[in-house]
PDB file of all heavy atoms in Angstrom:
ATOM      1  N   PRO L 333     -23.814 -19.412 -12.084  1.00  0.00           N
ATOM      2  CA  PRO L 333     -24.097 -18.240 -12.925  1.00  0.00           C
ATOM      3  C   PRO L 333     -25.134 -17.294 -12.309  1.00  0.00           C
ATOM      4  O   PRO L 333     -24.984 -16.078 -12.399  1.00  0.00           O
ATOM      5  CB  PRO L 333     -24.669 -18.839 -14.209  1.00  0.00           C
ATOM      6  CG  PRO L 333     -24.355 -20.288 -14.165  1.00  0.00           C
ATOM      7  CD  PRO L 333     -24.145 -20.674 -12.751  1.00  0.00           C
ATOM      8  N   GLU L 334     -26.146 -17.855 -11.656  1.00  0.00           N
ATOM      9  CA  GLU L 334     -27.213 -16.987 -11.139  1.00  0.00           C
ATOM     10  C   GLU L 334     -26.704 -16.073 -10.035  1.00  0.00           C
ATOM     11  O   GLU L 334     -26.996 -14.869 -10.023  1.00  0.00           O
ATOM     12  CB  GLU L 334     -28.403 -17.828 -10.652  1.00  0.00           C
ATOM     13  CG  GLU L 334     -29.201 -18.456 -11.790  1.00  0.00           C
ATOM     14  CD  GLU L 334     -29.477 -17.469 -12.930  1.00  0.00           C
ATOM     15  OE1 GLU L 334     -29.898 -16.327 -12.641  1.00  0.00           O
ATOM     16  OE2 GLU L 334     -29.264 -17.829 -14.106  1.00  0.00           O
ATOM     17  N   ALA L 335     -25.931 -16.640  -9.114  1.00  0.00           N
ATOM     18  CA  ALA L 335     -25.378 -15.829  -8.029  1.00  0.00           C
ATOM     19  C   ALA L 335     -24.453 -14.751  -8.595  1.00  0.00           C
ATOM     20  O   ALA L 335     -24.472 -13.603  -8.142  1.00  0.00           O
ATOM     21  CB  ALA L 335     -24.626 -16.718  -7.045  1.00  0.00           C
ATOM     22  N   CYS L 336     -23.670 -15.123  -9.603  1.00  0.00           N
ATOM     23  CA  CYS L 336     -22.775 -14.144 -10.223  1.00  0.00           C
ATOM     24  C   CYS L 336     -23.564 -13.022 -10.865  1.00  0.00           C
ATOM     25  O   CYS L 336     -23.229 -11.845 -10.730  1.00  0.00           O
ATOM     26  CB  CYS L 336     -21.890 -14.821 -11.263  1.00  0.00           C
ATOM     27  SG  CYS L 336     -20.619 -15.858 -10.513  1.00  0.00           S
ATOM     28  N   LYS L 337     -24.623 -13.404 -11.565  1.00  0.00           N
ATOM     29  CA  LYS L 337     -25.444 -12.380 -12.213  1.00  0.00           C
ATOM     30  C   LYS L 337     -26.009 -11.422 -11.199  1.00  0.00           C
ATOM     31  O   LYS L 337     -26.071 -10.210 -11.446  1.00  0.00           O
ATOM     32  CB  LYS L 337     -26.596 -13.052 -12.983  1.00  0.00           C
ATOM     33  CG  LYS L 337     -26.186 -13.591 -14.337  1.00  0.00           C
ATOM     34  CD  LYS L 337     -27.427 -13.993 -15.113  1.00  0.00           C
ATOM     35  CE  LYS L 337     -27.127 -15.126 -16.075  1.00  0.00           C
ATOM     36  NZ  LYS L 337     -28.375 -15.752 -16.581  1.00  0.00           N
ATOM     37  N   SER L 338     -26.410 -11.929 -10.054  1.00  0.00           N
ATOM     38  CA  SER L 338     -27.030 -10.984  -9.124  1.00  0.00           C
ATOM     39  C   SER L 338     -25.964 -10.081  -8.494  1.00  0.00           C
ATOM     40  O   SER L 338     -26.243  -8.914  -8.194  1.00  0.00           O
ATOM     41  CB  SER L 338     -27.917 -11.702  -8.105  1.00  0.00           C
ATOM     42  OG  SER L 338     -27.180 -12.167  -7.038  1.00  0.00           O
ATOM     43  N   LEU L 339     -24.735 -10.583  -8.353  1.00  0.00           N
ATOM     44  CA  LEU L 339     -23.647  -9.705  -7.906  1.00  0.00           C
ATOM     45  C   LEU L 339     -23.417  -8.589  -8.922  1.00  0.00           C
ATOM     46  O   LEU L 339     -23.234  -7.421  -8.562  1.00  0.00           O
ATOM     47  CB  LEU L 339     -22.351 -10.496  -7.731  1.00  0.00           C
ATOM     48  CG  LEU L 339     -22.242 -11.436  -6.537  1.00  0.00           C
ATOM     49  CD1 LEU L 339     -20.915 -12.191  -6.581  1.00  0.00           C
ATOM     50  CD2 LEU L 339     -22.366 -10.660  -5.238  1.00  0.00           C
ATOM     51  N   ILE L 340     -23.441  -8.958 -10.193  1.00  0.00           N
ATOM     52  CA  ILE L 340     -23.188  -7.973 -11.248  1.00  0.00           C
ATOM     53  C   ILE L 340     -24.314  -6.951 -11.311  1.00  0.00           C
ATOM     54  O   ILE L 340     -24.067  -5.746 -11.440  1.00  0.00           O
ATOM     55  CB  ILE L 340     -23.023  -8.683 -12.611  1.00  0.00           C
ATOM     56  CG1 ILE L 340     -21.769  -9.557 -12.590  1.00  0.00           C
ATOM     57  CG2 ILE L 340     -22.937  -7.669 -13.738  1.00  0.00           C
ATOM     58  CD1 ILE L 340     -21.684 -10.554 -13.744  1.00  0.00           C
ATOM     59  N   ARG L 341     -25.538  -7.437 -11.168  1.00  0.00           N
ATOM     60  CA  ARG L 341     -26.675  -6.511 -11.186  1.00  0.00           C
ATOM     61  C   ARG L 341     -26.593  -5.524 -10.026  1.00  0.00           C
ATOM     62  O   ARG L 341     -26.889  -4.340 -10.180  1.00  0.00           O
ATOM     63  CB  ARG L 341     -27.996  -7.294 -11.121  1.00  0.00           C
ATOM     64  CG  ARG L 341     -28.404  -7.858 -12.472  1.00  0.00           C
ATOM     65  CD  ARG L 341     -29.837  -8.394 -12.463  1.00  0.00           C
ATOM     66  NE  ARG L 341     -29.928  -9.538 -13.367  1.00  0.00           N
ATOM     67  CZ  ARG L 341     -29.971 -10.803 -12.984  1.00  0.00           C
ATOM     68  NH1 ARG L 341     -29.952 -11.113 -11.681  1.00  0.00           N
ATOM     69  NH2 ARG L 341     -30.034 -11.775 -13.871  1.00  0.00           N
ATOM     70  N   ALA L 342     -26.163  -6.023  -8.877  1.00  0.00           N
ATOM     71  CA  ALA L 342     -26.026  -5.132  -7.716  1.00  0.00           C
ATOM     72  C   ALA L 342     -24.973  -4.059  -7.996  1.00  0.00           C
ATOM     73  O   ALA L 342     -25.161  -2.883  -7.686  1.00  0.00           O
ATOM     74  CB  ALA L 342     -25.647  -5.942  -6.476  1.00  0.00           C
ATOM     75  N   ARG L 343     -23.873  -4.480  -8.604  1.00  0.00           N
ATOM     76  CA  ARG L 343     -22.818  -3.525  -8.920  1.00  0.00           C
ATOM     77  C   ARG L 343     -23.298  -2.490  -9.937  1.00  0.00           C
ATOM     78  O   ARG L 343     -22.958  -1.321  -9.865  1.00  0.00           O
ATOM     79  CB  ARG L 343     -21.598  -4.285  -9.463  1.00  0.00           C
ATOM     80  CG  ARG L 343     -20.400  -3.431  -9.790  1.00  0.00           C
ATOM     81  CD  ARG L 343     -19.652  -3.015  -8.538  1.00  0.00           C
ATOM     82  NE  ARG L 343     -18.668  -1.972  -8.826  1.00  0.00           N
ATOM     83  CZ  ARG L 343     -18.955  -0.682  -8.909  1.00  0.00           C
ATOM     84  NH1 ARG L 343     -20.196  -0.268  -8.694  1.00  0.00           N
ATOM     85  NH2 ARG L 343     -18.019   0.193  -9.175  1.00  0.00           N
ATOM     86  N   ARG L 344     -24.102  -2.961 -10.870  1.00  0.00           N
ATOM     87  CA  ARG L 344     -24.640  -2.058 -11.889  1.00  0.00           C
ATOM     88  C   ARG L 344     -25.538  -1.006 -11.254  1.00  0.00           C
ATOM     89  O   ARG L 344     -25.455   0.186 -11.566  1.00  0.00           O
ATOM     90  CB  ARG L 344     -25.444  -2.858 -12.918  1.00  0.00           C
ATOM     91  CG  ARG L 344     -25.805  -2.064 -14.156  1.00  0.00           C
ATOM     92  CD  ARG L 344     -26.782  -2.838 -15.021  1.00  0.00           C
ATOM     93  NE  ARG L 344     -26.931  -2.235 -16.332  1.00  0.00           N
ATOM     94  CZ  ARG L 344     -27.622  -1.135 -16.594  1.00  0.00           C
ATOM     95  NH1 ARG L 344     -28.234  -0.505 -15.595  1.00  0.00           N
ATOM     96  NH2 ARG L 344     -27.702  -0.659 -17.813  1.00  0.00           N
TER      97      ARG L 344
END
Side-chain angles (χ1 to χ4, degrees):
Chain L
E334 288 315 313
C336 288
K337 279 190 209 166
S338 84
L339 287 177
I340 295 166
R341 280 191 213 103
R343 182 77 192 83
R344 192 189 192 284

